[in-house]
Amino acid sequence: MKHSIHTIVISEQQSTCELVKLYLQEFENFTFLAETSDLTKAYNAIKELDKSLVIVDISMYQEQALNFVSKITSEFSDCRVIVLSDKPQVDLVIRAMRIGASDFLSLPLLKDEFFDVLTKHYLDMTGAKPKKSKCRVITVYSNKGGVGKTSIATNLALELAKITKENVALIDLNFQLGDVTTFLDLKPSFNISYMLQNLDKINEDFLLSTLEKYKDTSLYVLADPPYFKQAENVSSRDITKLFNILRDTFSYVVVDTSAGFDDKAINALENSDLIFLVTIVNLPALRNCQRCLELFDKLGLEDERIQILINRYMENDEINADAVEEVLGKNIYWKIPNNYFTMMSAINKGVPVSAVNPDSNVALSYKNLALLVSDSVFRQSAQKRYGRV
Ligand SMILES: Nc1ncnc2c1ncn2[C@@H]1O[C@H](COP(=O)(O)OP(=O)(O)OP(=O)(O)O)[C@@H](O)[C@H]1O
Ligand SMILES: [Mg+2]
C-alpha cells in the first residue's frame, strides 16, 4: 500500500513555501496540506492529523518558531519536524535537534539534500525500512564495586531517551548480580541470556517488540539473566554479535558492567564508542582508576574513547578536581554530585532520580550529562555539514 504523509509548511517567506511545495509535488509521498505563517492555525491542523511532517522556517521569528517546534514535538509523537533556517550555525542546529527537530536544513534549500531527508522520513514514518541512525555505544565501567555504575547507566540511558526521543537500549552486563531491573522496577520476560542463545533469530523487529520498554519512553532494557546457570558459556564472539545487532536497532546503547575485568566487560569496552570510567574521590579509588587506565592502554583502547566521570562529588572534598586530573593525567569529563538521600530514595522506590525530584542536583546532573553526550553527536554531524562556527 502506498502511504502519503500530510505535510504542513510554515514560513514567513512566500517564496520558501512555494519552493517546498514544488519539491513536495515532485516527491509524491508527501501530500502538501497547508502553508501558513500562523502558528495557531498550524497547531490546530497538526492536532487533527495522525501522522504529519511539519517543515518550519525559523529564519525570521526564531525564538517563537523554536518554541513552537518544542511544543509540537513534545505533544504529538507522530509529528516529524524539519527546521529550515538561513543561519545554520552549529549551536542553532544543536538547539533545534535538542528540542525535538528531526532535521535541520539551511536555506536556500538544496533539492538533493531535501530529497535525502524526505526519503529518510518517508521510510521511517511508514515502516518501509528500518531507520538507520548512527549508534553510539556507551559503557559505564569501573574496576571497583559500588562507585555508582548502575546509578549512572540507568539514569543516563533514561535521560538520553527523553532528550533525543530516539531508541535507547540499556544493557545489564552484570550477569551475576545485575541491578538494572531493580533500579527501574522491571520484570522483563526476555533477558540477555535468551538473546545470546537466539542470535540468529533476533533482529530490529524482534528486539523492539520483546525488550522491556520503560514506561512511555523510548528506553528499552536488556536485563541480566535471572539464574546464575544462564550466565555460563557466553563467548565474546556472541557478545560482539549482539552489539552489532543492537547497533542496527538503537541510536544509543548504554552498558552497565560489573566491577571485574572479565571477558564480557572487555568485550563491551572494545565495542564502545565512549567509555565512562567512574571513580569517586578518595585515594584507593583513584589508584584503582589509574590502574584501570593502564589496563585500557594495554588493551589498545584509544584515549579519546575514555572519559573520566567523578561520582559523589563534593566541592569541599579534601582532594579537589585539579588534583584528580593531575593524578589521572586526564581531564574530568563530568562530575555527579553526592546526594545520598535522593539516590537511595530512587533506588528504594525503583524509579529514576528524576521521578523522585527532577530539580535535585543529581537529577539535573544526569540530564546535563545526557545533553552533553547527545550534543556531541549533533555537533559532529552539524559540523560535518556546516563546518566550524
Ligand atoms: N551521586 C550519588 N550520591 C550519593 N550516593 C550515590 C550516588 N550515586 C550512587 N550512590 C549510591 O552508591 C551506591 C552504589 O551505587 P550503584 O549500585 O549504582 O554502584 P555500582 O558501581 O553499580 O555497584 P556494583 O559494583 O555493586 O554494581 C548506592 O547505594 C547508591 O545509592
Ligand atoms: Mg552495579
Side-chain angles (χ1 to χ4, degrees):
M1 200 185 87
K2 198 164 155 48
H3 301 265
S4 191
I5 294 156
H6 293 302
T7 308
I8 294 170
V9 185
I10 302 167
S11 177
E12 293 286 331
Q13 291 292 332
Q14 188 60 30
S15 55
T16 304
C17 288
E18 286 303 322
L19 188 67
V20 171
K21 189 172 166 182
L22 204 74
Y23 285 163
L24 284 171
Q25 276 164 5
E26 248 182 82
F27 196 82
E28 285 183 343
N29 294 323
F30 291 90
T31 319
F32 176 81
L33 192 73
E35 66 177 60
T36 183
S37 56
D38 180 339
L39 298 181
T40 312
K41 212 166 120 192
Y43 178 88
N44 289 333
I46 298 161
K47 204 163 70 175
E48 298 304 316
L49 299 168
D50 276 347
K51 263 182 196 167
S52 58
L53 178 72
V54 183
I55 301 173
V56 188
D57 176 3
I58 63 166
S59 307
M60 276 178 90
Y61 300 104
Q62 187 174 295
E63 291 310 308
Q64 210 183 338
L66 284 173
N67 285 340
F68 176 76
V69 172
S70 171
K71 185 174 161 72
I72 57 172
T73 52
S74 58
E75 282 184 35
F76 310 117
S77 57
D78 279 332
C79 164
R80 298 298 172 96
V81 178
I82 299 174
V83 165
L84 310 178
S85 171
D86 57 7
K87 296 176 272 303
Q89 284 107 346
V90 172
D91 286 341
L92 184 61
V93 179
I94 291 168
R95 240 184 103 197
M97 306 296 267
R98 201 188 253 183
I99 57 170
S102 304
D103 276 285
F104 188 111
L105 295 174
S106 56
L107 290 171
L109 204 54
L110 298 174
K111 189 175 171 183
D112 283 352
E113 204 173 47
F114 187 48
F115 272 32
D116 282 349
V117 168
L118 288 179
T119 307
K120 183 184 84 178
H121 282 286
Y122 177 72
L123 295 175
D124 192 22
M125 290 170 90
T126 57
K129 204 179 123 195
K131 182 179 147 203
K132 294 270 181 284
S133 63
K134 195 163 164 18
C135 175
R136 302 268 290 168
V137 176
I138 304 162
T139 294
V140 183
Y141 184 79
S142 165
N143 53 348
K144 217 170 157 47
V147 292
K149 297 179 290 295
T150 307
S151 310
I152 294 165
T154 309
N155 287 285
L156 169 66
L158 182 67
E159 291 304 323
L160 277 172
K162 287 201 293 198
I163 290 166
T164 64
K165 299 187 182 74
E166 291 178 37
N167 288 340
V168 177
L170 172 60
I171 315 297
D172 195 340
L173 268 196
N174 193 343
F175 277 28
Q176 304 286 306
L177 293 163
D179 283 327
V180 166
T181 47
T182 316
F183 274 49
L184 293 177
D185 192 25
L186 295 170
K187 289 178 192 63
S189 12
F190 291 92
N191 61 60
I192 195 161
S193 180
Y194 176 88
M195 298 293 169
L196 286 164
Q197 280 158 21
N198 292 278
L199 281 170
D200 296 337
K201 274 190 236 154
I202 63 169
N203 54 27
E204 171 162 357
D205 288 343
F206 184 83
L207 283 171
L208 295 181
S209 58
T210 51
L211 285 191
E212 192 74 15
K213 202 171 172 189
Y214 187 68
K215 297 194 170 157
D216 54 355
T217 67
S218 53
L219 174 67
Y220 293 79
V221 178
L222 188 43
D224 59 313
Y227 312 110
F228 284 176
K229 211 164 84 47
Q230 285 180 275
E232 291 161 11
N233 302 328
V234 178
S235 80
S236 39
R237 232 181 82 232
D238 285 351
I239 299 251
T240 301
K241 231 171 166 183
L242 178 66
F243 272 109
N244 287 338
I245 300 167
L246 294 170
R247 272 187 189 277
D248 282 345
T249 307
F250 297 95
S251 298
Y252 296 89
V253 174
V254 180
V255 188
D256 182 26
T257 54
S258 56
F261 247 121
D262 59 11
D263 278 2
K264 291 192 296 303
I266 293 175
N267 223 276
L269 294 167
E270 284 172 341
N271 277 293
S272 300
D273 303 290
L274 185 59
I275 297 163
F276 281 143
L277 179 56
V278 185
T279 185
I280 47 177
V281 181
N282 66 37
L283 223 48
L286 290 173
R287 287 230 174 89
N288 256 294
C289 204
Q290 265 177 330
R291 277 190 217 125
C292 221
L293 286 171
E294 284 164 24
L295 263 162
F296 285 172
D297 190 40
K298 286 202 181 104
L299 281 175
L301 301 170
E302 301 87 349
D303 199 42
E304 313 83 72
R305 273 204 271 170
I306 305 154
Q307 299 293 353
I308 304 289
L309 229 145
I310 303 285
N311 195 27
R312 310 193 66 167
Y313 183 75
M314 287 185 284
E315 286 297 338
N316 54 357
D317 260 337
E318 227 173 282
I319 308 174
N320 65 24
D322 289 346
V324 172
E325 292 188 339
E326 206 179 311
V327 169
L328 299 180
K330 241 179 123 56
N331 290 341
I332 295 169
Y333 184 82
W334 197 255
K335 299 188 284 258
I336 297 164
N338 188 55
N339 188 335
Y340 189 72
F341 177 76
T342 312
M343 290 306 303
M344 277 321 285
S345 167
I347 293 171
N348 288 336
K349 290 189 176 111
V351 295
V353 278
S354 58
V356 171
N357 180 0
D359 299 321
S360 61
N361 57 0
V362 263
L364 292 173
S365 182
Y366 287 130
K367 186 176 165 192
N368 288 327
L369 172 62
L371 280 172
L372 184 65
V373 170
S374 58
D375 277 4
S376 67
V377 176
F378 293 149
R379 194 172 286 276
Q380 268 172 13
S381 61
Q383 270 170 353
K384 222 187 258 166
R385 198 181 263 175
Y386 302 112
R388 279 181 190 280
V389 183

